[in-house]
Amino acid sequence: MKKGTYYLGIELGSTRIKAVMIGDDHKPLANGDFMWENHLENGVWTYSMDEVWQGLQAAAAGLIQDAQSKGLDPAGISAIGISAMMHGYLPFDADGNQLAPFRTWRNTITGPATRELSPLFHFNIPQRWSIAHLHQAVMNGEEHVKDIAFLTTLAGYVHWKLTGQKVLGVGDASGMFPIDSETCDYDAGMVAKYDELLGGKYPWKLKEILPEVLCAGEAAGTLTEEGAKLLDPSGVLKAGIPLCPPEGDAGTGMAATNSVAVGTGNVSAGTSVFSMVVLDKALANIYEEIDMVTTPTGKPVAMVHCNNCTNEINAWAGVFRGFLEALGQKPDMNAVYTAMFRTALDAEPDAGGLVLYNFLSGEPVAGTSDGRPMLVRTPDARLDFANFMRAQMYSALAALKIGNDILAGENVRIDRIFGHGGYFKTPVVGQRILAAAIHAPVSVMETAGEGGPWGMALLAAYMADRKEGESLDAFLNQRVFGGARCSTVEPVQEDAEGFRVFLDRFKKGIPVEQAAIDHLK
């Protein structure tokens, strides 16, 4: 086995738990993964904690096997980082018992809480944020709230179990509660307002139950004996390995696309879609469609987050697979997706008059509380495969476009946008559609397919190997992406005009989507 300096990043995404090991040149060397899916139980989107550990162990075992098959010794891992889907609600009592099922980012059940908190803080509090879930539980009079001793995210939970440390990276923490970028901590004034709102009703103060906030580069504990057994029952990964601050998938996406400097941005498009633009200062105005979060170092970021993206494309890929199987063929799913995406470029620019809603779940940016995937067409619309796929591609970004139009109106400076995620896997197609949506060039790096777990491994390497005074910007620019290749697609005016026409129909038809939500239970 080849000894070396390795770093491990693990990300619990919405459909896959993936582990990536990189070397001191920061290139991926081995990986392992586990497929999973959220469940709608009693009206709540959730995952079981048993499956969290089943998936982590499977991903770690796969990575170890892959590394060893290549002659690499994963026992040489020098640092580990854990990341996961941001937001959500995971409360625990003083004995570490989970008090309520995990409520994920996908839930849109906290509307009353956000309507009370946003004006109180004079700050947009999205429905998926942890403080929104906590306050909704308060408003609902849920019995468990009085017993909360610790409230965290999925990444914070896993990190806690591996290290015993109740901490969180500032980027992930910014999806729990608003952050003061000057202090790299929860906004003290807003914390005080929330405690005052509760008026001593519970035996805890807010900051007492939230994780400690850490910035990228800080030490966040080491793998304990118990944690090592939880992660790798085979015993290859030993106790004592340092861990960096756990982060959310937004922060790892920024690291993976070198988008942590002011004026840079990225769009992560997969099961959900979000855009991140790093600002020199927070927006002066408040918008329900725009979240103010932070980079892994605490810089303010304008985030437009949409709950739905490629889920409807994936569902139709399954339909087309079934059709091919009915014809006696054994379909190659990569070829199916490639044909679906590339055919979209052969369509009419406005998708032939079709309107398609990909809302599997609620979409707050569009103002819908639930989801009903739906295709609508007038009698004179042109329904064919190409137009259908262009409507699918447009629909996947339509809600994101609504939010980003607000940023354009605020004259937010964007020097470059990078795309990553499954939407961009087929060359050119996703870039061209996004460029049409945001009226700006879109770049995809050769490493775009590596995604969040690779970004998390980079953050682990930054903590373990950074030079004195070296910023995360400098580390990524000079030591990771210095020679990286990328492709850039400029916006096509015909596409941009077609997207505008489609979006106009899309917005006018939202009451139709709402009617389906109201009447199709």
Side-chain angles (χ1 to χ4, degrees):
M1 290 294 170
K2 180 182 177 182
K3 297 286 185 182
T5 301
Y6 307 125
Y7 307 100
L8 172 61
I10 301 176
E11 183 158 288
L12 295 94
S14 55
T15 59
R16 183 169 65 156
I17 299 173
K18 185 175 181 182
V20 170
M21 187 178 84
I22 65 174
D24 53 13
D25 63 355
H26 308 115
K27 294 181 180 178
L29 297 172
N31 65 80
D33 64 4
F34 175 81
M35 304 301 292
W36 70 340
E37 187 56 82
N38 53 192
H39 313 287
L40 188 62
E41 297 179 4
N42 300 316
V44 174
W45 291 102
T46 188
Y47 298 84
S48 76
M49 294 302 101
D50 287 343
E51 195 172 15
V52 167
W53 295 109
Q54 177 189 353
L56 282 167
Q57 290 174 4
L63 178 135
I64 290 168
Q65 182 179 14
D66 187 33
Q68 291 175 340
S69 72
K70 295 172 180 174
L72 307 175
D73 185 2
I77 288 172
S78 301
I80 298 173
I82 302 295
S83 58
M85 300 168 279
M86 289 177 68
H87 321 295
Y89 186 70
L90 270 170
F92 300 87
D93 67 15
D95 295 322
N97 299 308
Q98 188 175 344
L99 295 173
F102 177 35
R103 300 170 190 178
T104 77
W105 58 269
R106 174 163 264 168
N107 289 288
T108 51
I109 56 177
T110 62
T114 63
R115 288 191 288 274
E116 182 167 12
L117 294 178
S118 293
L120 174 70
F121 297 149
H122 193 64
F123 190 99
N124 180 41
I125 301 296
Q127 289 204 47
R128 65 188 183 281
W129 280 28
S130 304
I131 186 61
H133 282 283
L134 172 63
H135 194 56
Q136 192 63 54
V138 168
M139 297 177 76
N140 293 346
E142 296 185 37
E143 181 67 21
H144 76 268
V145 175
K146 69 180 186 335
D147 299 318
I148 296 176
F150 182 44
L151 176 64
T152 191
T153 65
L154 183 56
Y157 162 74
V158 172
H159 184 94
W160 168 41
K161 291 299 182 182
L162 295 182
T163 67
Q165 301 297 308
K166 296 178 178 179
V167 301
L168 205 59
V170 63
D172 204 7
S174 71
M176 292 194 76
F177 193 86
I179 292 291
D180 181 344
S181 290
E182 296 296 322
T183 63
C184 198
D185 201 354
Y186 304 112
D187 188 288
M190 296 184 196
V191 168
K193 285 183 178 180
Y194 190 69
D195 286 336
E196 184 180 349
L197 177 66
L198 295 188
K201 182 179 179 180
Y202 298 103
W204 46 260
K205 297 286 187 181
L206 180 61
K207 198 167 181 182
E208 294 171 355
I209 66 173
L210 294 177
E212 177 188 353
V213 179
L214 300 176
C215 281
E218 294 189 74
T222 58
L223 191 64
T224 64
E225 293 284 353
E226 183 181 44
K229 291 176 183 176
L230 268 177
L231 180 61
D232 173 29
S234 74
V236 173
L237 302 180
K238 306 293 185 184
I241 302 173
L243 272 78
C244 67
E247 264 299 346
D249 49 1
T252 59
M254 284 186 271
T257 55
N258 193 20
S259 303
V260 299
V262 173
T264 62
N266 74 90
V267 170
S268 174
T271 305
S272 63
V273 61
F274 53 83
S275 63
M276 314 281 292
V277 179
V278 185
L279 311 178
D280 56 355
K281 60 181 179 180
L283 294 174
N285 297 313
I286 300 172
Y287 300 98
E288 289 185 5
E289 300 88 348
I290 298 174
D291 311 345
M292 290 306 304
V293 291
T294 77
T295 68
T297 56
K299 292 176 183 173
V301 173
M303 178 183 192
V304 178
H305 183 284
C306 305
N307 288 347
N308 305 278
C309 185
T310 59
N311 44 268
E312 193 67 358
I313 294 173
N314 294 337
W316 279 96
V319 171
F320 298 141
R321 177 181 61 194
F323 173 69
L324 291 171
E325 288 172 345
L327 291 176
Q329 300 182 30
K330 187 176 181 180
D332 174 351
M333 289 310 294
N334 285 329
V336 170
Y337 276 106
T338 298
M340 291 170 68
F341 275 58
R342 286 183 175 168
T343 302
L345 298 185
D346 298 330
E348 297 173 59
D350 72 338
L354 306 181
V355 185
L356 193 147
Y357 297 91
N358 67 332
F359 297 170
L360 184 65
S361 63
E363 193 56 81
V365 172
T368 60
S369 60
D370 207 341
R372 299 292 183 272
M374 182 169 62
L375 172 67
V376 180
R377 60 191 175 100
T378 57
D380 60 343
R382 278 81 61 199
L383 176 61
D384 58 29
F385 184 46
N387 283 336
F388 175 73
M389 282 313 307
R390 170 115 10 171
Q392 289 278 9
M393 299 295 290
Y394 281 170
S395 176
L397 299 182
L400 186 79
K401 166 71 169 167
I402 292 171
N404 275 272
D405 281 350
I406 296 171
L407 289 181
E410 285 277 347
N411 297 313
V412 169
R413 176 187 127 214
I414 304 177
D415 297 331
R416 63 176 191 252
I417 285 284
F418 289 99
H420 64 113
Y423 189 84
F424 302 102
K425 187 173 181 179
T426 301
V428 178
V429 182
Q431 286 174 266
R432 183 167 152 181
I433 300 298
L434 179 59
I438 64 174
H439 299 280
V442 175
S443 299
V444 171
M445 293 188 184
E446 60 182 344
T447 54
E450 303 301 338
W454 180 62
M456 195 66 238
L458 294 178
L459 292 174
Y462 175 64
M463 178 203 70
D465 191 39
R466 68 173 176 149
K467 301 171 184 174
E468 185 175 353
E470 185 179 31
S471 69
L472 180 59
D473 302 15
F475 175 81
L476 294 175
N477 275 322
Q478 297 166 17
R479 296 214 266 158
V480 179
F481 294 100
R485 295 192 302 269
C486 71
S487 64
T488 301
V489 171
E490 300 284 339
V492 175
Q493 184 55 40
E494 188 178 38
D495 291 339
E497 177 59 20
F499 202 126
R500 185 195 65 77
V501 173
F502 174 88
L503 188 68
D504 184 58
R505 287 196 305 264
F506 184 93
K507 290 192 287 189
K508 287 178 179 176
I510 288 175
V512 181
E513 170 73 9
Q514 187 60 51
I517 294 168
D518 294 340
H519 298 287
L520 298 177
K521 301 296 185 181

